[in-house]
């Protein structure tokens, strides 16, 4: 059913926008890129804990796990660079593909970029499912990584640009919701395929990634291009026609005029990556980069990549570890749904700050339990303490899923102006994949050396990022993308000084001269 309403701009102009079926369907189809990404994240941890998979591709790890000596620490069973490369190679490939994806997103559109991602996914899945040696396995992961680079570049932009302002946050989080559904789907598949006799269960786990790959490819063929992209490429009549269709009204002139103005400014920029470094674009760039670094430094991907391995390490049996991973995956999905309903009501900052407290507490509790109960050569984890570890990990995953998970993608996609949006999204994806690669490649080694202290390490980062949000992240709830500069950056206690045409009216005796500031100002609050 179509809903109605208005989105109010900063200058008082109202943009009429209905929640039309074409918007909902387009967003659901596009967000399947997140389903593919999530499945890749979840499936790797499951297959790397399967004995048949380890025996075929990583015999050294297999012997260490199943015929370990007293010299082998509980925390170091899976410490192997090759095993970590299987997981992390996807993200290194995605990092490289991002630079090409930025070009296609800008010059060929969001829709074609999503189609390219789907093709990469399909070929990568075929190589992985049929892998005969480690080289073929890694090649498949690299092609999947290329798909991730293209999908993560195009999908958040597509969702931000096609959604009406007042529900932009909720629809954009569909991408993150599908990531969490993909992780849960992978965990369920791993739980089932681990019981298959004959040593081919891991092939089924890797091969079923073809389902979300096909969904993304078909979806990219069916969805409409965004009006922003059409206007950006000079197809004005088509852009206006699409805007009428997705808004469900003929009264689109005010919003279309805003798009034209934003496009005019964008065309004046010949070097978008160089323009990102200009002083006026520094706030968006710093926040986008910081959010991606902080998102990975919560430790979430370490948990999601290696959940079965981690549970095995602390003393769960193979079946129990996969089952526990399914539980955390389910919590992840449900908590992301919470974010969809709350992000445009309570705002971005509130969710991030509340989650900071919750994640810090749960990680510290996990560290204390593991520090007392799990040593290098013995596991004294009773059933009650094992359940408590799972509960604390679920508490931590829930907090991340309604905050840093979706908002780490949403906020950068809605803050960059049109002239630097594609380049900004490229940098966002690039930094995210770089730090995902670092964490994926290093986590099992860090677990071996830090032991339970790995959770103290991540909790310290949670503390740092919560202070960053408190002081430096402005609220972007219900602000049209084209008006972020006027309504957000020029009114923030700190970032306003970077707006070139606004420097002479930023502060008067420590306060903003033009009214209310957007954000937590320590000079007046502390």
């Amino acid at each position: 059913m179509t809903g109605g309403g208005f989105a109010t701009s900063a200058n008082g102009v109202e943009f009429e926008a209905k929640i039309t079926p074409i918007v909902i369907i387009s967003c659901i189809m596009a967000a399947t890129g997140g389903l593919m990404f999530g499945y890749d994240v979840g499936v790797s941890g499951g297959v790397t804990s399967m004995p048949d998979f380890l025996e075929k591709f990583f015999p050294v790890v297999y012997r260490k796990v199943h015929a370990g000596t007293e010299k082998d620490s509980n925390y170091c069973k899976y410490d192997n660079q090759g095993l970590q490369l299987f997981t992390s190679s996807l993200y290194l490939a995605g990092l490289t593909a991002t630079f090409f994806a930025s070009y296609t997103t800008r010059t060929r559109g969001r829709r074609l970029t999503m189609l390219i991602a789907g093709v990469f996914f399909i070929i990568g899945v075929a190589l992985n499912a049929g892998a005969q040696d480690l080289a073929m396995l890694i090649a498949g992961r690299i092609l999947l990584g290329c798909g991730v680079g293209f999908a993560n570049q195009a999908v958040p932009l597509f969702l931000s640009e096609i959604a009406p302002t007042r529900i932009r946050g909720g629809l954009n989080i569909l991408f993150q919701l599908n990531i969490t559904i993909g992780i849960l789907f992978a965990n369920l598949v791993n739980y089932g395929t681990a019981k298959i006799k004959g040593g081919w269960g891991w092939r089924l786990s890797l091969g079923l990634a073809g389902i979300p790959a096909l969904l993304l490819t078909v979806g990219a063929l069916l969805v409409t291009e965004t009006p922003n992209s059409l206007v950006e490429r000079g197809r004005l009549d088509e852009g206006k026609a699409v805007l009428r269709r997705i808004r469900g009204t003929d009264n689109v002139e005010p919003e279309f005029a805003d798009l034209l103005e934003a496009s005019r400014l964008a065309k004046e920029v010949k070097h978008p990556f160089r323009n990102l470094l200009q002083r006026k674009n520094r706030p968006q760039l710093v926040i986008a980069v910081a959010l991606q670094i902080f998102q990975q430094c919560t430790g979430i991907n370490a948990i999601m990549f290696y959940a079965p391995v981690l549970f095995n390490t602390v003393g769960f049996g193979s079946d129990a570890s996969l089952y526990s991973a399914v539980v955390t995956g389910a919590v992840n999905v449900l908590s992301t749904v919470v974010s969809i309903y709350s992000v445009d009501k309570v705002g971005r900052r509130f969710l991030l700050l509340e989650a900071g407290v919750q994640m810090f507490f749960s990680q510290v509790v996990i560290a204390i339990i593991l520090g007392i109960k799990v040593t290098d050569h013995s596991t004294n984890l009773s059933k009650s303490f094992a359940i408590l570890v799972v509960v604390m990990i679920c508490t931590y995953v829930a907090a991340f899923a309604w905050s840093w998970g979706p908002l780490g993608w949403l906020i950068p996609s809605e803050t960059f102006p049109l002239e630097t949006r594609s380049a900004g999204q490229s940098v966002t994806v690039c930094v995210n994949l770089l730090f995902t690669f670092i964490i994926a490649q290093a986590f099992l080694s860090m677990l071996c050396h830090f032991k339970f202290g790995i959770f103290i390490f991540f909790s310290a980062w949670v503390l740092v990022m919560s202070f960053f949000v408190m002081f430096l992240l402005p609220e972007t709830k219900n602000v049209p993308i084209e008006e972020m500069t006027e309504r957000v950056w020029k009114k923030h206690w700190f970032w306003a000084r970077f707006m070139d045409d606004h420097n002479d009216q930023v502060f008067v005796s420590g306060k903003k001269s033009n009214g209310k500031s957007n954000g937590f100002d320590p000079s007046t609050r502390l």
Side-chain angles (χ1 to χ4, degrees):
M1 182 178 288
T2 303
F6 292 88
T8 307
S9 72
N11 55 13
V13 178
E14 291 182 330
F15 297 158
E16 186 176 349
K18 297 176 181 178
I19 305 172
T20 56
I22 189 172
V23 168
I24 301 298
I25 293 169
S26 294
C27 288
I28 290 172
M29 296 302 288
T32 54
L35 192 66
M36 185 70 222
F37 187 24
Y39 191 89
D40 286 331
V41 169
V43 78
S44 58
V47 297
T48 52
S49 69
M50 293 182 187
D52 295 319
F53 178 83
L54 290 176
E55 187 175 17
K56 183 173 180 62
F57 296 106
F58 305 99
V60 174
V61 178
Y62 176 80
R63 287 193 295 270
K64 194 187 295 186
V65 172
H66 294 277
T69 66
E70 291 184 0
K71 294 180 180 179
D72 294 325
S73 168
N74 282 323
Y75 289 100
C76 299
K77 293 176 185 176
Y78 294 91
D79 181 17
N80 180 274
Q81 289 299 309
L83 184 62
Q84 292 175 121
L85 183 63
F86 164 71
T87 299
S88 65
S89 58
L90 182 148
Y91 305 98
L92 189 60
L95 171 62
T96 306
T98 295
F99 296 105
F100 298 97
S102 173
Y103 174 79
T104 59
T105 303
R106 187 175 67 255
T107 62
R108 297 291 182 265
R110 285 53 161 159
R111 184 169 170 259
L112 180 63
T113 306
M114 290 189 291
L115 181 61
I116 294 171
V119 172
F120 272 127
F121 280 139
I122 290 171
I123 299 172
V125 167
L127 284 177
N128 268 357
Q132 297 301 313
D133 53 36
L134 186 58
M136 192 173 175
L137 191 71
I138 298 297
R141 292 289 288 179
I142 288 172
L143 286 174
L144 288 174
C146 292
V148 166
F150 275 80
N152 285 12
Q153 171 75 17
V155 172
L157 282 182
F158 179 93
L159 295 173
S160 286
E161 291 174 350
I162 206 167
T165 299
R166 70 186 183 283
I167 61 165
R168 185 181 64 233
L171 283 182
N172 199 288
I173 290 173
L174 277 176
F175 180 65
Q176 177 67 21
L177 176 63
N178 273 1
I179 291 178
T180 62
I181 292 173
I183 293 171
L184 176 60
F185 180 43
N187 289 334
L188 289 168
V189 167
N190 286 335
Y191 184 68
T193 57
K195 300 179 183 299
I196 293 176
K197 306 297 182 183
W200 56 273
W202 62 269
R203 291 190 186 276
L204 185 59
S205 286
L206 296 176
L208 284 175
I211 295 174
L214 283 171
L215 285 174
L216 176 62
T217 307
V218 172
L221 292 171
L222 296 178
V223 299
T224 183
E225 184 60 271
T226 70
N228 307 59
S229 178
L230 292 168
V231 169
E232 188 178 18
R233 290 180 284 146
R235 295 157 64 176
L236 303 185
D237 292 339
E238 192 177 346
K240 181 181 282 190
V242 169
L243 190 63
R244 287 196 187 101
R245 284 171 57 207
I246 65 175
R247 296 294 179 252
T249 176
D250 290 330
N251 183 26
V252 296
E253 291 301 330
E255 186 173 1
F256 189 68
D258 257 25
L259 288 179
L260 289 176
E261 177 62 14
S263 178
R264 184 188 66 79
L265 294 173
K267 282 183 168 60
E268 294 176 1
V269 179
K270 302 300 181 185
H271 304 285
F273 282 98
R274 190 183 306 169
N275 191 55
L276 270 179
L277 301 176
Q278 290 182 3
R279 181 178 174 83
K280 66 178 181 179
N281 292 320
R282 208 168 294 165
Q284 300 97 312
L285 181 62
V286 169
I287 283 178
V289 170
L291 287 180
Q292 302 316 302
I293 295 172
F294 288 152
Q295 187 191 64
Q296 297 311 308
C297 288
T298 59
I300 186 64
N301 274 339
I303 299 293
M304 290 304 172
F305 293 152
Y306 300 116
V309 170
L310 181 65
F311 286 126
N312 263 335
T313 297
V314 300
F316 287 53
S318 179
D319 278 356
S321 65
L322 286 169
Y323 179 74
S324 299
V326 169
V327 172
T328 57
V331 170
N332 199 11
V333 172
L334 294 173
S335 300
T336 304
V337 174
V338 172
S339 186
I340 290 177
Y341 284 101
S342 60
V343 66
D344 289 316
K345 294 181 174 64
V346 302
R348 283 68 163 152
R349 281 168 51 86
F350 174 84
L351 288 175
L352 291 169
L353 290 171
E354 184 280 331
V357 175
Q358 192 169 322
M359 287 192 292
F360 180 81
F361 170 76
S362 56
Q363 286 182 318
V364 169
V365 172
I366 293 168
I368 292 171
I369 294 172
L370 297 188
I372 295 172
K373 294 293 182 180
V374 180
T375 63
D376 281 339
H377 304 293
S378 67
T379 302
N380 299 316
L381 208 60
S382 64
K383 185 177 179 180
S384 58
F385 276 110
I387 292 172
L388 183 57
V389 168
V390 174
V391 168
M392 285 295 103
I393 287 181
C394 288
T395 302
Y396 159 79
V397 167
F400 177 88
W402 63 54
S403 61
W404 285 96
L407 301 184
W409 292 109
L410 169 63
I411 294 171
S413 73
E414 67 184 5
T415 52
F416 284 108
L418 184 61
E419 64 266 22
T420 59
R421 191 171 302 156
S422 183
Q425 184 67 13
S426 183
V427 170
T428 299
V429 174
C430 178
V431 173
N432 185 280
L433 291 174
L434 174 62
F435 278 84
T436 303
F437 166 75
I438 291 171
I439 294 293
Q441 187 63 29
F443 176 72
L444 294 179
S445 298
M446 291 170 67
L447 181 64
C448 178
H449 291 89
F450 286 11
K451 300 179 174 56
F452 65 88
I454 190 73
F455 290 98
I456 298 294
F457 172 80
F458 287 131
S459 65
W461 273 104
V462 170
L463 203 58
V464 171
M465 63 186 73
S466 296
F467 278 107
F468 178 89
V469 171
M470 181 178 291
F471 294 115
L472 295 176
L473 184 70
E475 182 57 70
T476 56
K477 179 183 70 171
N478 295 334
V479 180
I481 295 177
E482 285 73 24
E483 297 172 8
M484 287 289 172
T485 299
E486 295 295 329
R487 294 178 59 177
V488 174
W489 304 114
K490 289 185 177 182
K491 294 184 178 182
H492 189 269
W493 73 271
F494 180 78
W495 298 122
R497 69 192 71 188
F498 292 91
M499 300 294 108
D500 293 337
D501 61 342
H502 194 67
N503 288 338
D504 58 343
Q505 52 176 323
V506 173
F507 287 105
V508 176
S509 301
K511 295 184 178 180
K512 297 259 317 154
S513 64
N514 65 331
K516 184 180 178 182
S517 67
N518 186 333
F520 187 101
D521 182 353
S523 65
T524 57
R525 301 286 183 87
L526 298 182

